[in-house]
Amino acid sequence: MGLSYVEENYLKAILKLSGVPDGLVSTNAIAAQLSTSAASVTDMLKKLSDKDLIAYQRYKGASLTNAGQRIATHLVRKHRLWEVFLVQTLGMTWDEVHDIAEQLEHIQSDSLIDRLDTFLEYPKFDPHGDPIPNAEGKYSVRAQVPLSKLTEGQQGIVIGVREDETAFLKHLSEKGLTPGKMIRMLTNDAYDHTIRLVVDDKELNLSGQVASNIMIKLK
């Protein structure tokens, strides 16, 4: 089934937003995710529904059909594999790769993606710590906790982030909080959740909001 880049982006957006209690993603949520108008979203949802890629209920929202789920998951797989390639092979930083991967994920060659996966030795997670679906659409899961949940004296390794906006990733890089770095919690303020920690023998202070978006594997 030939889909436009815009149609594919809608399916991926619905997949990203699909963890809602009733399984239906609202028109407004999709509009916010894609920075477009609710009217444009409604028009596109009707088109995707006609192609049996989503189940759409007017005034309620949309959910992916099995076919839509497969396409969206495959897009995520391609995006995250390209991010690994750009970081590991081309030496780009984790804050540089998202926008480029957004373009590369629309390449339609399945054989290219399979070869890319083999070349990269079947990575399970992308540079931001997000799981990479395999060819069957299955994800790996690993134990992780937000940095904000650590208590005094706990140690762990930075393994990813919840938000991968470029400005946020640059902010973390400037502080040395990149994947693979060992951290040790010094204090976690119970009132405003400001934390103090050690990374690379340097003390850092972080807001609770920043800390809640950094994922840690405990040691």
Side-chain angles (χ1 to χ4, degrees), residues 12 15-16 69-84 105 110 113-114 116-118 120-127 129-141:
K12 196 173 71 163
L15 177 65
K16 181 176 182 178
Q69 180 89 17
R70 284 194 299 272
I71 293 171
T73 301
H74 189 50
L75 285 165
V76 170
R77 167 177 164 77
K78 290 189 287 184
H79 181 103
R80 293 176 181 173
L81 283 172
W82 282 120
E83 287 191 333
V84 174
E105 72 185 30
D110 290 342
I113 299 306
D114 290 341
L116 179 64
D117 195 17
T118 301
L120 295 171
E121 299 182 342
Y122 311 103
K124 303 294 185 185
F125 299 90
D126 75 7
D130 293 317
I132 300 173
N134 63 19
E136 289 73 45
K138 304 298 183 183
Y139 294 82
S140 295
V141 178

Side-chain angles (χ1 to χ4, degrees), residues 18-207:
S18 60
V20 292
D22 59 4
L24 291 174
V25 180
S26 72
T27 299
N28 288 337
I30 299 169
Q33 178 67 30
L34 296 174
S35 300
T36 189
S37 68
S40 295
V41 172
T42 298
D43 289 342
M44 179 57 72
L45 293 182
K46 291 176 181 177
K47 293 178 182 178
L48 294 173
S49 179
D50 289 341
K51 294 184 178 183
D52 295 322
L53 297 175
I54 66 165
Y56 173 56
Q57 297 182 39
R58 192 178 181 186
Y59 304 123
K60 292 185 178 181
S63 61
L64 295 171
T65 62
N66 288 338
Q69 180 89 17
R70 284 194 299 272
I71 293 171
T73 301
H74 189 50
L75 285 165
V76 170
R77 167 177 164 77
K78 290 189 287 184
H79 181 103
R80 293 176 181 173
L81 283 172
W82 282 120
E83 287 191 333
V84 174
F85 175 81
L86 293 169
V87 169
Q88 290 188 3
T89 308
L90 299 188
M92 299 179 72
T93 58
W94 69 336
D95 55 88
E96 294 178 308
V97 298
H98 178 76
D99 289 344
I100 300 173
E102 284 281 313
Q103 301 171 53
L104 293 170
E105 72 185 30
H106 297 290
I107 293 174
Q108 295 300 314
S109 174
D110 290 342
S111 63
L112 172 62
I113 299 306
D114 290 341
R115 289 189 179 194
L116 179 64
D117 195 17
T118 301
F119 174 78
L120 295 171
E121 299 182 342
Y122 311 103
K124 303 294 185 185
F125 299 90
D126 75 7
H128 309 115
D130 293 317
I132 300 173
N134 63 19
E136 289 73 45
K138 304 298 183 183
Y139 294 82
S140 295
V141 178
R142 61 182 171 185
Q144 58 183 16
V145 295
L147 175 56
S148 57
K149 297 296 184 182
L150 269 63
T151 57
E152 181 178 336
Q154 281 192 301
Q155 299 184 74
I157 297 173
V158 177
I159 60 173
V161 290
R162 281 178 166 168
E163 299 294 332
D164 59 2
E165 292 183 1
T166 299
F168 178 62
L169 297 178
K170 285 183 177 179
H171 176 70
L172 296 186
S173 295
E174 289 168 357
K175 292 182 175 293
L177 286 167
T178 51
K181 289 296 183 73
M182 175 71 72
I183 63 95
R184 177 167 56 88
M185 177 69 76
L186 296 177
T187 59
N188 191 338
D189 191 282
Y191 178 71
D192 64 5
H193 306 294
T194 298
I195 69 168
R196 189 163 58 93
L197 71 155
V198 173
V199 58
D200 286 340
D201 297 322
K202 296 186 298 184
E203 287 193 16
L204 294 176
N205 292 310
L206 296 177
S207 69

